[in-house]
Amino acid sequence: MIVMINGAFGAGKTTVATKLLERMDHALLYDPEEVGYMLREMIPNEVKLPVEQTGDFQDFLMWKTLVVEVAKQLKQTYDRDLIVPMTIYKKDYFNTIYEGFSELDEETFHFCLTAEKQTIHNRLLTRGEEPGNWCFAQTDKCLEGYQDSCFEQFIQTDNRDVEQIVDLICEEIGFIPKGDGVYVGIE
């Protein structure tokens, strides 16, 4: 199983993914940002292609391919479910990764955590982000991008706590945790 948890910076992806990981003992947390950080470190500015010189590592041409390939290697090597928190609002990037994940595991789920702009900004401030930084600057792009139905299934987070959101995801992906941390599918 692969569970993608999408949403703007500040929507609660990492918090939800971490709590979901606590319930899914047979899972790994896979953050594609790590792939982006690696590419950013490896590819100097003078080597970057013009399309890659945006300041967003998702624009590296190989980022999407590597995100899927790392997921493939994690699943093949460790035989674990993957919980994948990432902010991805560009439809073609999303489709490439979602389709790649779906080829790896037919049980691929996507959830897009949504919230009002002010809620997102309040959460960013609470976690110590500086007003106007890169995370803040992405909010409008994300909220606009998430208007596309390809990003469904949406979970509104403004008035839900983390446990409620994780409960919704667990219900949708079809498992309930057993007392010993093992999970079983819901028929």
mmCIF file of all heavy atoms in Angstrom, residues 1-3 20-21 23-30 71 74-76 78-84 105 107-109 173 175 183-184:
data_model
loop_
_atom_site.group_PDB
_atom_site.id
_atom_site.type_symbol
_atom_site.label_atom_id
_atom_site.label_comp_id
_atom_site.label_asym_id
_atom_site.label_seq_id
_atom_site.Cartn_x
_atom_site.Cartn_y
_atom_site.Cartn_z
ATOM 1 N N MET A 1 0.843 -1.180 0.000
ATOM 2 C CA MET A 1 0.000 0.000 0.000
ATOM 3 C C MET A 1 0.886 1.241 0.000
ATOM 4 O O MET A 1 1.928 1.266 0.642
ATOM 5 C CB MET A 1 -0.887 -0.019 1.256
ATOM 6 C CG MET A 1 -1.786 1.177 1.383
ATOM 7 S SD MET A 1 -2.774 1.211 2.915
ATOM 8 C CE MET A 1 -3.529 -0.395 2.918
ATOM 9 N N ILE A 2 0.434 2.254 -0.753
ATOM 10 C CA ILE A 2 1.089 3.562 -0.739
ATOM 11 C C ILE A 2 0.014 4.593 -0.413
ATOM 12 O O ILE A 2 -1.029 4.635 -1.069
ATOM 13 C CB ILE A 2 1.761 3.894 -2.087
ATOM 14 C CG1 ILE A 2 2.833 2.861 -2.431
ATOM 15 C CG2 ILE A 2 2.356 5.315 -2.055
ATOM 16 C CD1 ILE A 2 3.476 3.039 -3.798
ATOM 17 N N VAL A 3 0.266 5.398 0.606
ATOM 18 C CA VAL A 3 -0.679 6.428 1.023
ATOM 19 C C VAL A 3 -0.005 7.780 0.837
ATOM 20 O O VAL A 3 0.926 8.126 1.570
ATOM 21 C CB VAL A 3 -1.117 6.243 2.492
ATOM 22 C CG1 VAL A 3 -2.123 7.318 2.885
ATOM 23 C CG2 VAL A 3 -1.687 4.851 2.716
ATOM 24 N N LEU A 20 -0.228 8.580 11.414
ATOM 25 C CA LEU A 20 -0.633 7.404 10.646
ATOM 26 C C LEU A 20 0.431 6.311 10.754
ATOM 27 O O LEU A 20 0.108 5.126 10.903
ATOM 28 C CB LEU A 20 -0.881 7.783 9.187
ATOM 29 C CG LEU A 20 -1.424 6.695 8.266
ATOM 30 C CD1 LEU A 20 -2.773 6.165 8.763
ATOM 31 C CD2 LEU A 20 -1.571 7.248 6.847
ATOM 32 N N LEU A 21 1.684 6.696 10.721
ATOM 33 C CA LEU A 21 2.788 5.743 10.858
ATOM 34 C C LEU A 21 2.716 5.014 12.202
ATOM 35 O O LEU A 21 3.026 3.820 12.282
ATOM 36 C CB LEU A 21 4.127 6.463 10.713
ATOM 37 C CG LEU A 21 5.377 5.596 10.766
ATOM 38 C CD1 LEU A 21 5.421 4.623 9.590
ATOM 39 C CD2 LEU A 21 6.625 6.476 10.766
ATOM 40 N N ARG A 23 0.125 4.097 13.684
ATOM 41 C CA ARG A 23 -0.928 3.079 13.582
ATOM 42 C C ARG A 23 -0.554 1.952 12.624
ATOM 43 O O ARG A 23 -1.059 0.846 12.752
ATOM 44 C CB ARG A 23 -2.228 3.712 13.114
ATOM 45 C CG ARG A 23 -2.818 4.672 14.109
ATOM 46 C CD ARG A 23 -4.229 4.972 13.741
ATOM 47 N NE ARG A 23 -4.757 6.087 14.499
ATOM 48 C CZ ARG A 23 -5.989 6.532 14.370
ATOM 49 N NH1 ARG A 23 -6.813 5.957 13.523
ATOM 50 N NH2 ARG A 23 -6.400 7.555 15.082
ATOM 51 N N MET A 24 0.283 2.241 11.656
ATOM 52 C CA MET A 24 0.634 1.266 10.623
ATOM 53 C C MET A 24 2.050 0.756 10.873
ATOM 54 O O MET A 24 3.008 1.271 10.307
ATOM 55 C CB MET A 24 0.527 1.907 9.236
ATOM 56 C CG MET A 24 -0.864 2.326 8.841
ATOM 57 S SD MET A 24 -0.923 3.200 7.250
ATOM 58 C CE MET A 24 -0.386 1.908 6.132
ATOM 59 N N ASP A 25 2.158 -0.259 11.695
ATOM 60 C CA ASP A 25 3.472 -0.782 12.062
ATOM 61 C C ASP A 25 4.266 -1.318 10.882
ATOM 62 O O ASP A 25 5.485 -1.388 10.929
ATOM 63 C CB ASP A 25 3.330 -1.899 13.106
ATOM 64 C CG ASP A 25 2.913 -1.370 14.466
ATOM 65 O OD1 ASP A 25 3.058 -0.160 14.692
ATOM 66 O OD2 ASP A 25 2.439 -2.163 15.281
ATOM 67 N N HIS A 26 3.587 -1.720 9.839
ATOM 68 C CA HIS A 26 4.265 -2.313 8.683
ATOM 69 C C HIS A 26 4.475 -1.256 7.586
ATOM 70 O O HIS A 26 4.304 -1.523 6.399
ATOM 71 C CB HIS A 26 3.446 -3.498 8.146
ATOM 72 C CG HIS A 26 4.197 -4.364 7.202
ATOM 73 N ND1 HIS A 26 5.219 -5.189 7.588
ATOM 74 C CD2 HIS A 26 4.090 -4.504 5.864
ATOM 75 C CE1 HIS A 26 5.699 -5.816 6.529
ATOM 76 N NE2 HIS A 26 5.033 -5.424 5.476
ATOM 77 N N ALA A 27 4.830 -0.051 7.986
ATOM 78 C CA ALA A 27 4.966 1.043 7.028
ATOM 79 C C ALA A 27 6.261 1.818 7.265
ATOM 80 O O ALA A 27 6.845 1.776 8.338
ATOM 81 C CB ALA A 27 3.765 1.988 7.130
ATOM 82 N N LEU A 28 6.662 2.503 6.220
ATOM 83 C CA LEU A 28 7.791 3.435 6.281
ATOM 84 C C LEU A 28 7.293 4.811 5.895
ATOM 85 O O LEU A 28 6.432 4.948 5.018
ATOM 86 C CB LEU A 28 8.887 3.030 5.284
ATOM 87 C CG LEU A 28 9.613 1.715 5.515
ATOM 88 C CD1 LEU A 28 10.552 1.426 4.344
ATOM 89 C CD2 LEU A 28 10.401 1.773 6.810
ATOM 90 N N LEU A 29 7.850 5.835 6.506
ATOM 91 C CA LEU A 29 7.584 7.210 6.117
ATOM 92 C C LEU A 29 8.593 7.575 5.041
ATOM 93 O O LEU A 29 9.805 7.488 5.267
ATOM 94 C CB LEU A 29 7.720 8.137 7.327
ATOM 95 C CG LEU A 29 7.315 9.590 7.119
ATOM 96 C CD1 LEU A 29 5.824 9.687 6.835
ATOM 97 C CD2 LEU A 29 7.653 10.394 8.356
ATOM 98 N N TYR A 30 8.110 7.932 3.874
ATOM 99 C CA TYR A 30 8.970 8.264 2.739
ATOM 100 C C TYR A 30 8.677 9.698 2.317
ATOM 101 O O TYR A 30 7.620 9.995 1.787
ATOM 102 C CB TYR A 30 8.732 7.284 1.595
ATOM 103 C CG TYR A 30 9.316 7.707 0.267
ATOM 104 C CD1 TYR A 30 10.566 8.307 0.185
ATOM 105 C CD2 TYR A 30 8.609 7.506 -0.908
ATOM 106 C CE1 TYR A 30 11.094 8.691 -1.038
ATOM 107 C CE2 TYR A 30 9.133 7.874 -2.135
ATOM 108 C CZ TYR A 30 10.368 8.471 -2.189
ATOM 109 O OH TYR A 30 10.890 8.855 -3.403
ATOM 110 N N ALA A 71 10.642 4.933 -4.271
ATOM 111 C CA ALA A 71 9.497 4.197 -3.715
ATOM 112 C C ALA A 71 9.566 2.728 -4.126
ATOM 113 O O ALA A 71 9.347 1.829 -3.301
ATOM 114 C CB ALA A 71 8.189 4.823 -4.175
ATOM 115 N N LEU A 74 12.286 1.018 -2.097
ATOM 116 C CA LEU A 74 11.858 0.831 -0.710
ATOM 117 C C LEU A 74 10.893 -0.338 -0.583
ATOM 118 O O LEU A 74 11.023 -1.178 0.309
ATOM 119 C CB LEU A 74 11.213 2.111 -0.167
ATOM 120 C CG LEU A 74 12.154 3.273 0.124
ATOM 121 C CD1 LEU A 74 11.364 4.545 0.387
ATOM 122 C CD2 LEU A 74 13.069 2.951 1.300
ATOM 123 N N LYS A 75 9.924 -0.401 -1.501
ATOM 124 C CA LYS A 75 8.935 -1.479 -1.437
ATOM 125 C C LYS A 75 9.579 -2.831 -1.728
ATOM 126 O O LYS A 75 9.294 -3.813 -1.046
ATOM 127 C CB LYS A 75 7.777 -1.199 -2.398
ATOM 128 C CG LYS A 75 6.907 -0.046 -1.886
ATOM 129 C CD LYS A 75 5.557 0.024 -2.483
ATOM 130 C CE LYS A 75 4.632 -1.081 -2.172
ATOM 131 N NZ LYS A 75 4.170 -1.219 -0.798
ATOM 132 N N GLN A 76 10.449 -2.898 -2.734
ATOM 133 C CA GLN A 76 11.080 -4.170 -3.092
ATOM 134 C C GLN A 76 12.055 -4.640 -2.015
ATOM 135 O O GLN A 76 12.117 -5.824 -1.706
ATOM 136 C CB GLN A 76 11.817 -4.049 -4.424
ATOM 137 C CG GLN A 76 10.900 -3.991 -5.612
ATOM 138 C CD GLN A 76 11.657 -3.823 -6.917
ATOM 139 O OE1 GLN A 76 12.854 -3.538 -6.947
ATOM 140 N NE2 GLN A 76 10.943 -3.988 -8.022
ATOM 141 N N TYR A 78 12.288 -3.638 1.324
ATOM 142 C CA TYR A 78 11.807 -3.771 2.699
ATOM 143 C C TYR A 78 10.390 -4.322 2.807
ATOM 144 O O TYR A 78 9.939 -4.591 3.914
ATOM 145 C CB TYR A 78 11.909 -2.427 3.426
ATOM 146 C CG TYR A 78 13.326 -1.921 3.436
ATOM 147 C CD1 TYR A 78 13.718 -0.879 2.610
ATOM 148 C CD2 TYR A 78 14.281 -2.526 4.236
ATOM 149 C CE1 TYR A 78 15.029 -0.440 2.590
ATOM 150 C CE2 TYR A 78 15.602 -2.089 4.222
ATOM 151 C CZ TYR A 78 15.966 -1.045 3.399
ATOM 152 O OH TYR A 78 17.257 -0.609 3.385
ATOM 153 N N ASP A 79 9.687 -4.455 1.674
ATOM 154 C CA ASP A 79 8.334 -5.017 1.654
ATOM 155 C C ASP A 79 7.441 -4.348 2.702
ATOM 156 O O ASP A 79 6.842 -5.007 3.552
ATOM 157 C CB ASP A 79 8.381 -6.535 1.878
ATOM 158 C CG ASP A 79 7.029 -7.184 1.619
ATOM 159 O OD1 ASP A 79 6.255 -6.662 0.796
ATOM 160 O OD2 ASP A 79 6.745 -8.214 2.263
ATOM 161 N N ARG A 80 7.399 -3.036 2.638
ATOM 162 C CA ARG A 80 6.608 -2.245 3.581
ATOM 163 C C ARG A 80 5.633 -1.353 2.833
ATOM 164 O O ARG A 80 5.853 -0.992 1.682
ATOM 165 C CB ARG A 80 7.518 -1.341 4.433
ATOM 166 C CG ARG A 80 8.514 -2.059 5.293
ATOM 167 C CD ARG A 80 7.826 -2.708 6.448
ATOM 168 N NE ARG A 80 8.749 -3.449 7.284
ATOM 169 C CZ ARG A 80 8.669 -3.479 8.599
ATOM 170 N NH1 ARG A 80 7.751 -2.800 9.229
ATOM 171 N NH2 ARG A 80 9.520 -4.212 9.290
ATOM 172 N N ASP A 81 4.559 -0.981 3.526
ATOM 173 C CA ASP A 81 3.684 0.064 3.013
ATOM 174 C C ASP A 81 4.435 1.381 3.109
ATOM 175 O O ASP A 81 5.342 1.520 3.936
ATOM 176 C CB ASP A 81 2.398 0.155 3.852
ATOM 177 C CG ASP A 81 1.558 -1.111 3.769
ATOM 178 O OD1 ASP A 81 1.526 -1.745 2.701
ATOM 179 O OD2 ASP A 81 0.930 -1.464 4.788
ATOM 180 N N LEU A 82 4.066 2.335 2.269
ATOM 181 C CA LEU A 82 4.710 3.648 2.293
ATOM 182 C C LEU A 82 3.685 4.726 2.618
ATOM 183 O O LEU A 82 2.593 4.747 2.051
ATOM 184 C CB LEU A 82 5.362 3.965 0.949
ATOM 185 C CG LEU A 82 6.461 3.026 0.471
ATOM 186 C CD1 LEU A 82 6.980 3.478 -0.895
ATOM 187 C CD2 LEU A 82 7.601 2.939 1.474
ATOM 188 N N ILE A 83 4.063 5.619 3.507
ATOM 189 C CA ILE A 83 3.286 6.823 3.795
ATOM 190 C C ILE A 83 4.116 7.969 3.245
ATOM 191 O O ILE A 83 5.263 8.158 3.648
ATOM 192 C CB ILE A 83 3.050 6.978 5.306
ATOM 193 C CG1 ILE A 83 2.289 5.765 5.846
ATOM 194 C CG2 ILE A 83 2.292 8.277 5.592
ATOM 195 C CD1 ILE A 83 2.220 5.708 7.362
ATOM 196 N N VAL A 84 3.529 8.715 2.305
ATOM 197 C CA VAL A 84 4.292 9.690 1.526
ATOM 198 C C VAL A 84 3.678 11.084 1.665
ATOM 199 O O VAL A 84 2.759 11.446 0.933
ATOM 200 C CB VAL A 84 4.337 9.278 0.027
ATOM 201 C CG1 VAL A 84 5.265 10.191 -0.753
ATOM 202 C CG2 VAL A 84 4.731 7.819 -0.136
ATOM 203 N N ASP A 105 2.063 -0.372 -6.839
ATOM 204 C CA ASP A 105 1.138 -0.959 -5.880
ATOM 205 C C ASP A 105 -0.274 -0.513 -6.234
ATOM 206 O O ASP A 105 -0.574 0.686 -6.211
ATOM 207 C CB ASP A 105 1.504 -0.511 -4.456
ATOM 208 C CG ASP A 105 0.811 -1.311 -3.385
ATOM 209 O OD1 ASP A 105 -0.376 -1.667 -3.567
ATOM 210 O OD2 ASP A 105 1.454 -1.584 -2.354
ATOM 211 N N GLU A 107 -2.791 -0.709 -4.582
ATOM 212 C CA GLU A 107 -3.392 -0.055 -3.426
ATOM 213 C C GLU A 107 -2.672 1.258 -3.152
ATOM 214 O O GLU A 107 -1.953 1.406 -2.163
ATOM 215 C CB GLU A 107 -3.325 -0.957 -2.193
ATOM 216 C CG GLU A 107 -4.333 -2.068 -2.180
ATOM 217 C CD GLU A 107 -4.367 -2.728 -0.821
ATOM 218 O OE1 GLU A 107 -3.339 -3.318 -0.425
ATOM 219 O OE2 GLU A 107 -5.417 -2.630 -0.150
ATOM 220 N N THR A 108 -2.824 2.205 -4.076
ATOM 221 C CA THR A 108 -2.261 3.544 -3.911
ATOM 222 C C THR A 108 -3.406 4.504 -3.652
ATOM 223 O O THR A 108 -4.380 4.536 -4.417
ATOM 224 C CB THR A 108 -1.453 3.961 -5.154
ATOM 225 O OG1 THR A 108 -0.313 3.103 -5.276
ATOM 226 C CG2 THR A 108 -0.984 5.398 -5.060
ATOM 227 N N PHE A 109 -3.279 5.242 -2.577
ATOM 228 C CA PHE A 109 -4.314 6.188 -2.172
ATOM 229 C C PHE A 109 -3.717 7.589 -2.120
ATOM 230 O O PHE A 109 -2.544 7.753 -1.794
ATOM 231 C CB PHE A 109 -4.854 5.832 -0.777
ATOM 232 C CG PHE A 109 -5.470 4.473 -0.707
ATOM 233 C CD1 PHE A 109 -4.704 3.362 -0.363
ATOM 234 C CD2 PHE A 109 -6.817 4.297 -0.983
ATOM 235 C CE1 PHE A 109 -5.263 2.104 -0.296
ATOM 236 C CE2 PHE A 109 -7.390 3.034 -0.916
ATOM 237 C CZ PHE A 109 -6.613 1.934 -0.572
ATOM 238 N N ILE A 173 -8.732 3.874 3.489
ATOM 239 C CA ILE A 173 -7.780 2.905 2.954
ATOM 240 C C ILE A 173 -8.132 1.480 3.362
ATOM 241 O O ILE A 173 -7.542 0.525 2.870
ATOM 242 C CB ILE A 173 -6.312 3.231 3.323
ATOM 243 C CG1 ILE A 173 -6.058 3.137 4.823
ATOM 244 C CG2 ILE A 173 -5.929 4.597 2.769
ATOM 245 C CD1 ILE A 173 -4.603 3.365 5.216
ATOM 246 N N PHE A 175 -8.437 -0.204 6.612
ATOM 247 C CA PHE A 175 -7.850 -1.049 7.659
ATOM 248 C C PHE A 175 -8.179 -0.498 9.030
ATOM 249 O O PHE A 175 -8.445 0.676 9.207
ATOM 250 C CB PHE A 175 -6.339 -1.237 7.484
ATOM 251 C CG PHE A 175 -5.502 -0.129 8.046
ATOM 252 C CD1 PHE A 175 -5.114 -0.130 9.382
ATOM 253 C CD2 PHE A 175 -5.084 0.898 7.254
ATOM 254 C CE1 PHE A 175 -4.337 0.888 9.906
ATOM 255 C CE2 PHE A 175 -4.307 1.917 7.769
ATOM 256 C CZ PHE A 175 -3.934 1.914 9.091
ATOM 257 N N TYR A 183 -2.274 -4.634 11.497
ATOM 258 C CA TYR A 183 -3.516 -4.141 10.931
ATOM 259 C C TYR A 183 -4.098 -5.178 9.980
ATOM 260 O O TYR A 183 -3.416 -6.007 9.429
ATOM 261 C CB TYR A 183 -3.344 -2.793 10.244
ATOM 262 C CG TYR A 183 -2.512 -2.828 8.972
ATOM 263 C CD1 TYR A 183 -3.120 -3.058 7.753
ATOM 264 C CD2 TYR A 183 -1.144 -2.616 8.996
ATOM 265 C CE1 TYR A 183 -2.380 -3.093 6.592
ATOM 266 C CE2 TYR A 183 -0.399 -2.641 7.845
ATOM 267 C CZ TYR A 183 -1.025 -2.875 6.644
ATOM 268 O OH TYR A 183 -0.290 -2.900 5.493
ATOM 269 N N VAL A 184 -5.411 -5.103 9.841
ATOM 270 C CA VAL A 184 -6.106 -6.006 8.938
ATOM 271 C C VAL A 184 -6.984 -5.175 8.024
ATOM 272 O O VAL A 184 -7.446 -4.105 8.392
ATOM 273 C CB VAL A 184 -6.977 -7.036 9.720
ATOM 274 C CG1 VAL A 184 -6.114 -7.938 10.546
ATOM 275 C CG2 VAL A 184 -8.007 -6.342 10.597
#
